[in-house]
Amino acid sequence: MKKYAFLIFLLIIVFLLTGWIYSINAHKSQSEPVQQISTKWWGSAHADIAAEAFTHWNEDEPAEVPQYCAKCHSGQGFIDYLGQDGSEAFSVDEPAAIESVISCEVCHNEQAEQLSTVNYPSGASVALEPNDALCATCHSGLDAGTAVVDATLGFTDDEIIPDGSFITPHYAFASATWLGSEGNAGYEYTQKEYVGRFEHAVGVQTCTQCHDAHSLHINTTQEGADLCSTCHSNVTSYSDYRNITFSGIDYDNDGVVEGMYHEIEGVRSILYQAMQRYASEVLGESIGWLDQYPYLFKDSNSDGVISEEEAAFSNAYSSFSPRLMRTAFNFQFSLKDPAGYVHNGKYVLQLLFDSIEDLSDVVAVDCDLSLRP
Ligand code: HEC
Ligand code: HEC
Ligand code: HEC
Ligand code: HEC
Ligand code: HEC
């Protein structure tokens, strides 16, 4: 009996010891030297004091980031938003400093580390884990499809809205794409259903499981291999991401199964052609897109492309009907989270397909709508 008790005692000791060693090791591989973290951060977009995102208001009088923009474009503004400066939480109370980058204390403070709710422009309020909530608060977009609903209320589908202008979702709204219908960021058609959060797979389900919080680059595996290569066998490095397909569906129906990125591009170009046809045939004013604010211009000579002359702010497209406004919103939504294909490709595709279907009621389109995911 005594011998038995001793064996159990020994077993417990062995258990405790392995547990302890394991925990030390786990800690060792987790905690990075602060100096290394700082170096990574310095090289990141969040530290880029010369970026448009932090200098856009430098020539204004006074030179400050307006209240409405400060949450995301000024580290000081974000601290105000959190209420870490003693002000009310979840609101920016005053204009904030320009060239105020997203420095260590912007993310590492009491309020930031317990942030667990993110408010989206659609009005959706979503509970998230603190790390995700932090990233998502700024990467959430500025307008949602609901703004298009408001702007088009009371007009028939093809009626031109006086003083109508292009409503866009803004930039780098990764978390809104990721959440799909939970964030309700796209222009969602009432009679359609949309996918929710992209659950993806274990180990790649949160912002910081994929992105290093400091360099913002994609993490590697513990062995130093590309994070995605463990499951997507065609991947060895970043340059292969855009060729990842899982479903093996030829969404754009061009006869080749390509990576999700390219399938989205294909479907988007079908939508673009439909928008152009609709604008000239139904609205009587040709349209074109260029990657330059305000993005949609009058294609005055109707040659299908926006020339340097046509790309003037004064030549911004203005003949918006509700149908153009909502399809153009989804078109822009698919472009301005360039990583939409990773964050939630199916949501992006659903919005594109539904917009094409919308236009197909009035103009000819060449699209197999049954391929909608
Ligand atoms: C954009 C927000 C953000 C900024 C800016 C930021 N951090 Fe972090 N930091 C995080 C998040 C999120 C984590 C948790 C990462 C995780 O769990 O993968 C973290 C983790 C850490 C850790 C713990 C690391 C570990 O391995 O346990 C330290 C230390 C740290 N940050 C220091 C810094 C320093 C120093 C700076 C400035 C040079 C900085 N951070 C800037 C968001 C940020
Ligand atoms: C919810 C957060 C958020 C708010 C609020 C916000 N922005 Fe942004 N904005 C961003 C992010 C994130 C980017 C970064 C895009 C990039 O360069 O990767 C950005 C980029 C920009 C850019 C640079 C675009 C480019 O092509 O590089 C401009 C200009 C800009 N925003 C203007 C504004 C203005 C004006 C407001 C206020 C009316 C505003 N933003 C409010 C998140 C926001
Ligand atoms: C306070 C607002 C804010 C927070 C919080 C924030 N970001 Fe950003 N992020 C920005 C802005 C603004 C830019 C654009 C900066 C620029 O153009 O240099 C940006 C840029 C980026 C980029 C683009 C990098 C590139 O090279 O184009 C990535 C990726 C990114 N952020 C990921 C994250 C992640 C992950 C988190 C959470 C750990 C996070 N961000 C938290 C505002 C924020
Ligand atoms: C499955 C891994 C994964 C997850 C999860 C993920 N990202 Fe990304 N993200 C990527 C990859 C990969 C890219 C670059 C894709 C490319 O360049 O083709 C990217 C690009 C970005 C960019 C730059 C592109 C842009 O919009 O300007 C931002 C910002 C960003 N992610 C933020 C986030 C935020 C915030 C979250 C959490 C809500 C998140 N990401 C979740 C993998 C991920
Ligand atoms: C742990 C395994 C795993 C890892 C790691 C992983 N993925 Fe995935 N990925 C999957 C699975 C499973 C699916 C299918 C999910 C679904 O459709 O619900 C998928 C789907 C995708 C899709 C959509 C493809 C399609 O045809 O629908 C893209 C794009 C993608 N992953 C990119 C990435 C990128 C980029 C990374 C690295 C940052 C990554 N994945 C890491 C397992 C993984």
Side-chain angles (χ1 to χ4, degrees):
M1 200 63 208
K2 236 186 183 167
K3 203 167 150 195
Y4 218 59
F6 179 71
L7 268 178
I8 287 174
F9 176 71
L10 213 67
L11 218 67
I12 289 173
I13 293 283
V14 168
F15 260 144
L16 287 177
L17 215 66
T18 42
W20 182 66
I21 289 170
Y22 181 81
S23 114
I24 292 247
N25 264 328
H27 239 82
K28 213 161 65 192
S29 63
Q30 251 174 27
S31 62
E32 270 181 82
V34 172
Q35 202 188 338
Q36 190 178 317
I37 290 179
S38 302
T39 309
K40 281 186 186 170
W41 177 81
W42 273 108
S44 80
H46 287 165
D48 184 3
I49 197 167
E52 181 68 14
F54 303 118
T55 57
H56 184 72
W57 300 266
N58 285 14
E59 310 302 321
D60 289 5
E61 195 58 60
E64 58 189 18
V65 185
Q67 219 166 313
Y68 182 52
C69 317
K71 175 177 81 168
C72 314
H73 286 286
S74 169
Q76 188 201 21
F78 190 71
I79 287 172
D80 176 342
Y81 178 80
L82 292 171
Q84 182 66 26
D85 61 353
S87 67
E88 194 192 329
F90 294 106
S91 80
V92 177
D93 306 292
E94 52 192 18
I98 52 163
E99 298 180 357
S100 171
V101 296
I102 301 152
S103 52
C104 316
E105 71 278 7
V106 174
C107 293
H108 294 288
N109 62 63
E110 257 170 52
Q111 296 299 327
E113 281 169 9
Q114 62 187 37
L115 193 66
S116 59
T117 307
V118 180
N119 297 325
Y120 284 85
S122 64
S125 184
V126 183
L128 295 174
E129 293 297 321
N131 284 0
D132 291 334
L134 186 60
C135 313
T137 297
C138 292
H139 293 284
S140 57
L142 193 55
D143 262 326
T146 49
V148 177
V149 175
D150 295 343
T152 55
L153 219 62
F155 295 93
T156 59
D157 285 342
D158 304 309
E159 185 180 355
I160 290 177
I161 303 166
D163 302 321
S165 61
F166 186 20
I167 295 176
T168 65
H170 207 59
Y171 309 101
F173 41 82
S175 80
T177 321
W178 174 59
L179 286 174
S181 60
E182 278 186 69
N184 188 20
Y187 181 91
E188 298 185 358
Y189 289 83
T190 43
Q191 67 278 30
K192 299 281 183 181
E193 280 192 25
Y194 295 89
V195 292
R197 194 178 306 201
F198 183 37
E199 302 281 1
H200 208 159
V202 175
V204 288
Q205 282 168 324
T206 69
C207 310
T208 49
Q209 278 177 343
C210 285
H211 291 272
D212 182 294
H214 304 111
S215 71
L216 309 179
H217 294 153
I218 302 301
N219 290 318
T220 51
T221 64
Q222 285 204 327
E223 294 74 37
D226 186 278
L227 178 64
C228 321
S229 66
T230 37
C231 302
H232 298 289
S233 55
N234 66 319
V235 172
T236 45
S237 71
Y238 172 77
S239 59
D240 305 314
Y241 291 1
R242 296 181 174 193
N243 297 324
I244 293 175
T245 173
F246 186 85
S247 49
I249 296 173
D250 178 19
Y251 291 109
D252 62 4
N253 205 21
D254 66 352
V256 214
V257 173
E258 301 150 291
M260 190 57 145
Y261 177 86
H262 299 288
E263 293 295 341
I264 290 175
E265 265 198 327
V267 178
R268 182 197 298 131
S269 86
I270 298 173
L271 172 58
Y272 184 51
Q273 283 166 23
M275 281 164 53
Q276 287 191 309
R277 197 167 296 158
Y278 172 70
S280 46
E281 289 176 13
V282 179
L283 303 178
E285 176 91 77
S286 299
I287 197 171
W289 186 92
L290 198 72
D291 197 4
Q292 178 187 317
Y293 189 79
Y295 304 103
L296 288 174
F297 300 93
K298 291 172 196 154
D299 180 16
S300 313
N301 59 6
S302 301
D303 66 348
V305 285
I306 297 303
S307 63
E308 215 170 296
E309 270 161 45
E310 286 166 339
F313 189 81
S314 57
N315 192 47
Y317 198 81
S318 57
S319 309
F320 284 93
S321 66
R323 204 190 300 272
L324 179 62
M325 222 183 239
R326 61 201 183 219
T327 52
F329 182 92
N330 284 344
F331 177 77
Q332 185 85 353
F333 187 87
S334 78
L335 279 160
K336 288 300 168 187
D337 175 3
Y341 74 103
V342 190
H343 294 142
N344 199 345
K346 285 192 180 137
Y347 184 64
V348 175
L349 279 176
Q350 289 178 332
L351 296 170
L352 292 176
F353 270 103
D354 294 344
S355 301
I356 295 170
E357 185 177 359
D358 185 0
L359 290 164
S360 77
D361 284 345
V362 283
V363 292
V365 299
D366 181 21
C367 179
D368 184 352
L369 293 168
S370 72
L371 292 170
R372 181 195 194 267

